[in-house]
Amino acid sequence: MTDAAPDLTDLLKDAPTNWGKWGPEDEVGSLNYLGPEQVIAAAGLIRSGKVFPIQRLIGDPKGDPVWPSREPATRTQIFDESTWDGDDAPVFPGGLHYADDKIEAFLQGSTQYDALGHVWYGGKLWNGYDARTTVGGMDKASVEPIAQRGVVGRGVLLDMARYRGKGSLDSAETYTHEDLLACAAQQGVELRKRDIILIRTNYLAR
């Protein structure tokens, strides 16, 4: 048998914290660093106007790669042209017909953003909010304040897989902030204060 993991309270007793840094009502944390100045500076960096989708496929037929026990998203067609084949079909002015569908999925089955209150211990969420505020839905530190505020700034892609000379990082392969700095240097990218760093590991390809 291995020794039990240390209690998080003991493990983090001397760790720095941002709780309270932006006031007792804060629910977005370090996003407070991204203001109008960062948005304007980032917009000025656009050169080619190319668009790159970075969304994870919703409803992957192989299931959720991170949680294989979870079934993939399912899409159900609600309305299509056949809806109007029956005598009881809905009637709209001008003979309007339309398509409609719905999706049922685990929110982590695709690209998603974890709220600051997504994980907690000791009965406290981010900024000291009571963990009981998660019962039945998150009343505090949910993703909603983040969505309302938006996340806009200078984005930097660090390709750790390419830096390591492989298609994707291996299972349990780690990297440090020093590796990230070295990766940026190899790519010829300057890391600036308030940057939004996107790290490519390509692990999902495994």
Side-chain angles (χ1 to χ4, degrees):
M1 295 181 62
T2 59
D3 294 334
D7 185 273
L8 283 175
T9 302
D10 296 331
L11 191 64
L12 300 176
K13 65 180 180 180
D14 296 322
T17 177
N18 278 329
W19 286 16
K21 182 171 184 175
W22 295 282
E25 302 299 321
D26 180 68
E27 298 183 64
V28 299
S30 294
L31 287 181
N32 285 289
Y33 287 128
L34 296 179
E37 180 181 346
Q38 284 71 40
V39 175
I40 293 172
L45 297 172
I46 298 173
R47 294 291 181 268
S48 67
K50 293 181 180 180
V51 177
F52 300 92
I54 55 175
Q55 164 74 26
R56 168 70 189 171
L57 177 66
I58 297 177
D60 191 319
K62 297 180 181 179
D64 186 325
V66 179
W67 300 98
S69 61
R70 291 179 173 178
E71 65 271 16
T74 56
R75 187 190 67 84
T76 303
Q77 193 72 34
I78 305 301
F79 283 87
D80 55 29
E81 182 57 24
S82 68
T83 304
W84 281 268
D85 291 342
D87 295 333
D88 59 345
V91 178
F92 297 101
L96 171 73
H97 294 181
Y98 68 94
D100 198 10
D101 53 1
K102 70 176 182 178
I103 188 171
E104 182 176 358
F106 286 98
L107 294 182
Q108 292 178 319
S110 183
T111 303
Q112 54 95 36
Y113 199 122
D114 274 341
L116 288 179
H118 178 59
V119 176
W120 62 89
Y121 78 98
K124 296 293 183 182
L125 310 180
W126 156 258
N127 218 27
Y129 290 119
D130 193 327
R132 300 298 298 177
T133 60
T134 68
V135 176
M138 300 190 72
D139 292 332
K140 295 292 185 180
S142 75
V143 77
E144 184 176 3
I146 294 173
Q148 290 175 341
R149 191 183 192 284
V151 182
V152 183
R154 179 179 184 259
V156 175
L157 171 65
L158 297 181
D159 193 339
M160 286 301 298
R162 179 174 292 185
Y163 172 70
R164 293 276 173 85
K166 55 181 67 175
S168 63
L169 296 192
D170 299 324
S171 296
E173 183 175 355
T174 62
Y175 49 85
T176 68
H177 70 285
E178 293 178 344
D179 294 316
L180 295 176
L181 292 172
C183 177
Q186 185 186 76
Q187 294 178 187
V189 175
E190 176 192 2
L191 294 181
R192 303 173 185 171
K193 205 169 186 179
R194 316 303 187 218
D195 280 349
I196 302 170
I197 298 180
L198 181 65
I199 303 169
R200 177 183 178 268
T201 66
N202 203 31
Y203 184 73
L204 288 181
R206 301 179 63 84

